[in-house]
Amino acid sequence: MEAENSAKIAVVNSNQKQASMKTRNRIINTVVFIILAAGAIVMMYPLVWMIFTSFKPYTDVYTTFFPRHWTGAAFKEIFTGEKIRTPMWRGFINSILTTVPVVIVQVIVSAMAAFAFAKLKFKGKNALFMVMLGTMMIPFTVIMIPQVYVFKILGLLNGPLAVIIPKMFGAVMTVFFLRQFLYGIPDSLTEAAKLDGAGYNRTFFSVVLPLIMPALATQCILSFIGNWNDYLGPLLYIQGSEWYTLPLIVSDFANNNGGLDGVPETMAASLVSMIPIIIVFAAFQKKIIGSIVFSAVKG
Amino acid sequence: MLLEVSKPKGRRLGWKENYVGWLYCLPIIIGILIFTAFPIILSLYSTVLDWSGFQEIFDAKVIGFDNFKTVFTGIYSKTFWKALGNTITMMVQIPISMLLGVLLALGMNRKMAGAKVFRVLYYLPCITSVVAVTILFNRMFSLNGAINSLFGKEINWLQDDVLVKVVVNILILWKGLGYSTLMYLAGLQSVSTDQIEAAKIDGASGAKIFLKITMPALYPITFYLLVTGIMGGLQIFNEPFILVKYGLANNAMTSASFIYYFYNESARLGVAAVGAWALAILVFIVTFIQMAIDNRKEKY
């Protein structure tokens, strides 16, 4: 009788405990949600302010958060106006020209080297790989200024070529990443292609490239975002303002229009320059976040 | 290896593969030689030159170690050491970003509504254009700007020696927080749930589980964030430069903008090269410390 009772009590107790755990969990979740939401508001505040300000008349820039009168004048100015040295539409052409072909060629060339490192046996492979890793240690600040001189010798400084050509020779980081990815693909697949009489080129282009497409796409997206947002490279290597990429145009415009009346246009230009990135991020958000998680697990 | 050589067919294939292997690496080798290795040699050589960049490098006068003297002890030394000091003060955000990153990741790792949306919202600043958001911060922190209006203050953020660094730190923190959060979130998700369940059954408290199981799992990520943070921090250029240009008036010049200044404004490429190598040595030291710690970890 007593034993039965105490068993009952135990059951009731554990039920109560579970119920209280549940309410505790719910309370914690609510608190965490409120904190995260408050943080998110702080994080989003600057970007929202940027969007609203670009639609305000300049008299309202700092006086109200929401625009009292919505106006698109700032956007008209940055695309067709006279205040802007290089109009934004031209910036879009320049930015696309200096990113899209670069990204595609760079990733394929890097994939070629990664294929050699991961799947081929050749003399000096390890030494070559160590040298390549060594070059990654050299900070960009060391080579950036002599690079200008090299580009001058090669005649790349007239126009956008200096930000295009060097990147078309591949990127060590991408080689490193793709090599890691290729290790995950069984050698039997490339061996089978070899046995079927496919040459190295056929093996690479019709077997390996399709297999690593997901990784290539991720690298393309990351490289696109990086190149689109790049500032120091174009600042050093693009001399004529007609070839300015969007970041250069935006900073140039901001420098020349520091007054209050320039704020909506500056914000509009900043906002417009980021639209392609935001679209790419929205479309490939899972891939982008996944690749960062991948590098975190490895690191 | 030996076996392959002894087979005649293997040797023939081996030669072909040697040749193809190098051929596939050729573009990147050429790229490294022209655009990295050659500039490194030029940079080293220019440390002993009085070179404006307007004449050919071989026409520049060799002046020995004068550039080193002017940078480390001579007329530019004050600017150089200040710039290095400023660079270091802009790294204050690194531990803050890591701490907030852990806390946010712990929150987002809970099974609750909206966790995925938060992940995207916090990460969004990371992909924004550094030019766009730095100009945005410049306008927000200007004397009559949005921040002063919001709090009804009249603080001269961008002209003050200390406050300008606070703004740079806030900017970098805001832009990088999503990244450290995401890294820690990945770390938390790699912690095995079995281990935590087992510890719970053994009666371990939440705090004890965090200290004994979760924290050690996050150690590699903390180490990685710290090292990459310091390496990036040493070379910081965009944020302070776009915010206040060279920042000569308000002590916001960094080591990287010191280098760019002596190239772009002063046309003393030798001085710029000395500054660049001084910075590179700091980067190398961090790299070697990292490698040493990595090796020690592998032993255990």
Side-chain angles (χ1 to χ4, degrees):
Chain A
M1 192 65 181
E2 255 182 31
E4 208 175 291
N5 261 345
S6 68
K8 258 186 197 163
I9 288 162
V11 168
V12 170
N13 268 349
S14 87
N15 274 349
Q16 266 177 346
K17 210 174 162 190
Q18 248 177 4
S20 80
M21 274 287 276
K22 248 187 194 160
T23 39
R24 221 190 93 190
N25 233 337
R26 205 171 290 153
I27 292 166
I28 293 177
N29 270 355
T30 315
V31 172
V32 167
F33 187 90
I34 290 168
I35 294 171
L36 284 178
I41 291 171
V42 174
M43 294 295 279
M44 287 300 110
Y45 176 80
L47 294 176
V48 175
W49 188 82
M50 174 193 258
I51 296 170
F52 283 157
T53 301
S54 60
F55 287 105
K56 286 181 213 166
Y58 76 87
T59 45
D60 288 356
V61 164
Y62 297 124
T63 51
T64 58
F65 180 70
F66 289 101
R68 275 185 298 190
H69 324 275
W70 292 75
T71 163
F75 292 92
K76 208 179 151 204
E77 170 63 37
I78 57 169
F79 276 97
T80 56
E82 301 199 325
K83 272 161 90 180
I84 194 153
R85 181 142 59 138
T86 318
M88 289 296 275
W89 62 264
R90 180 65 201 258
F92 268 94
I93 295 177
N94 293 344
S95 276
I96 290 169
L97 221 58
T98 54
T99 50
V100 175
V102 165
V103 161
I104 294 168
V105 176
Q106 184 183 49
V107 168
I108 292 176
V109 166
S110 306
M112 283 168 59
F115 168 65
F117 281 120
K119 296 291 175 216
L120 301 179
K121 292 187 195 82
F122 59 96
K123 244 183 219 149
K125 182 165 89 168
N126 289 333
L128 182 62
F129 194 70
M130 289 318 280
V131 170
M132 276 180 45
L133 282 188
T135 62
M136 261 171 52
M137 274 173 52
I138 305 291
F140 180 62
T141 38
V142 166
I143 55 174
M144 64 183 190
I145 288 159
Q147 268 188 354
V148 180
Y149 183 69
V150 174
F151 295 150
K152 199 167 95 184
I153 298 173
L154 298 174
L156 298 177
L157 284 183
N158 306 315
L161 286 177
V163 282
I164 298 176
I165 304 286
K167 286 177 180 157
M168 287 195 163
F169 286 88
V172 178
M173 266 305 276
T174 313
V175 174
F176 192 64
F177 177 87
L178 290 175
R179 185 188 80 131
Q180 219 62 18
F181 193 84
L182 275 165
Y183 278 142
I185 286 168
D187 284 347
S188 55
L189 283 171
T190 47
E191 295 295 326
K194 214 193 269 179
L195 284 180
D196 287 346
Y200 291 102
N201 289 335
R202 279 255 333 254
T203 309
F204 176 70
F205 284 104
S206 16
V207 179
V208 173
L209 272 193
L211 275 174
I212 59 170
M213 240 349 154
L216 289 185
T218 309
Q219 286 301 306
C220 275
I221 295 161
L222 292 178
S223 170
F224 173 75
I225 294 176
N227 282 310
W228 188 274
N229 288 341
D230 188 19
Y231 174 68
L232 186 51
L235 178 71
L236 285 159
Y237 310 137
I238 295 180
Q239 295 185 336
S241 64
E242 74 270 28
W243 288 107
Y244 276 7
T245 57
L246 286 170
L248 286 186
I249 294 177
V250 173
S251 70
D252 186 52
F253 183 80
N255 282 339
N256 298 332
N257 296 277
L260 188 63
D261 56 331
V263 176
E265 288 145 13
T266 311
M267 289 302 108
S270 302
L271 180 65
V272 167
S273 76
M274 288 198 292
I275 287 174
I277 294 298
I278 289 169
I279 292 173
V280 167
F281 180 64
F284 301 106
Q285 177 247 108
K286 264 199 185 133
K287 256 191 162 52
I288 294 168
I289 288 183
S291 79
I292 287 150
V293 171
F294 176 79
S295 73
V297 172
K298 270 200 311 142
Chain B
M1 219 30 172
L2 273 173
L3 272 173
E4 263 174 53
V5 175
S6 66
K7 274 191 284 180
K9 201 185 161 202
R11 196 195 291 155
R12 202 168 52 90
L13 269 178
W15 178 83
K16 181 94 192 284
E17 205 154 292
N18 259 331
Y19 161 77
V20 173
W22 281 93
L23 204 64
Y24 268 71
C25 294
L26 199 60
I28 199 156
I29 293 172
I30 294 174
I32 288 174
L33 285 178
I34 301 176
F35 301 116
T36 305
F38 185 45
I40 290 174
I41 295 167
L42 291 180
S43 180
L44 271 178
Y45 179 51
S46 64
T47 56
V48 295
L49 296 180
D50 178 21
W51 185 29
S52 72
F54 299 118
Q55 81 265 48
E56 295 300 315
I57 190 166
F58 296 110
D59 297 337
K61 208 175 118 197
V62 178
I63 52 166
F65 292 103
D66 282 7
N67 288 328
F68 291 88
K69 269 184 231 154
T70 54
V71 169
F72 295 126
T73 56
I75 42 170
Y76 304 130
S77 63
K78 217 177 142 200
T79 320
F80 173 80
W81 294 112
K82 263 245 168 77
L84 189 59
N86 294 340
T87 306
I88 290 165
T89 58
M90 289 171 197
M91 292 192 214
V92 172
Q93 45 79 30
I94 297 174
I96 302 173
S97 176
M98 296 196 312
L99 187 67
L100 287 178
V102 174
L103 294 176
L104 287 170
L106 282 170
M108 288 182 204
N109 200 32
R110 297 181 70 82
K111 280 192 196 80
M112 60 177 218
K116 279 205 173 128
V117 178
F118 284 131
R119 202 184 302 177
V120 172
L121 288 182
Y122 280 84
Y123 190 68
L124 194 60
C126 298
I127 56 128
T128 54
S129 147
V130 65
V131 170
V133 297
T134 308
I135 290 169
L136 165 68
F137 268 63
N138 177 293
R139 300 301 187 258
M140 286 181 64
F141 282 93
S142 62
L143 195 55
N144 55 359
I147 297 297
N148 278 346
S149 327
L150 191 67
F151 297 105
K153 293 259 163 59
E154 274 207 14
I155 302 168
N156 208 342
W157 295 95
L158 300 177
Q159 258 74 56
D160 186 88
D161 282 6
V162 178
L163 290 180
V164 70
K165 285 161 203 153
V166 173
V167 175
V168 173
N169 272 297
I170 293 174
L171 171 57
I172 304 171
L173 180 66
W174 174 79
K175 204 170 180 318
L177 184 58
Y179 178 71
S180 56
T181 306
L182 211 59
M183 294 288 272
Y184 277 121
L185 199 56
L188 286 178
Q189 282 164 358
S190 72
V191 179
S192 85
T193 43
D194 294 355
Q195 216 179 346
I196 290 178
E197 287 304 316
K200 266 186 196 159
I201 288 165
D202 289 347
S205 66
K208 199 164 181 189
I209 291 174
F210 182 75
L211 280 177
K212 296 278 172 186
I213 300 173
T214 314
M215 283 266 275
L218 296 182
Y219 172 76
I221 287 166
T222 306
F223 183 64
Y224 177 81
L225 285 176
L226 186 67
V227 170
T228 50
I230 294 173
M231 303 256 239
L234 283 172
Q235 299 184 63
I236 186 96
F237 176 82
N238 290 333
E239 289 88 347
F241 184 80
I242 300 163
L243 198 66
V244 290
K245 269 274 147 115
Y246 298 103
L248 281 170
N250 51 2
N251 279 325
M253 178 181 262
T254 64
S255 294
S257 38
F258 175 91
I259 298 163
Y260 185 69
Y261 179 85
F262 278 94
Y263 157 72
N264 199 43
E265 304 289 318
S266 181
R268 287 185 175 82
L269 269 56
V271 173
V274 171
W277 282 103
L279 192 59
I281 286 168
L282 290 178
V283 172
F284 294 154
I285 292 173
V286 177
T287 312
F288 286 130
I289 294 173
Q290 177 203 9
M291 283 166 145
I293 294 175
D294 266 347
N295 282 340
R296 226 184 55 187
K297 258 194 311 195
E298 268 158 32
K299 266 188 206 157
Y300 291 113

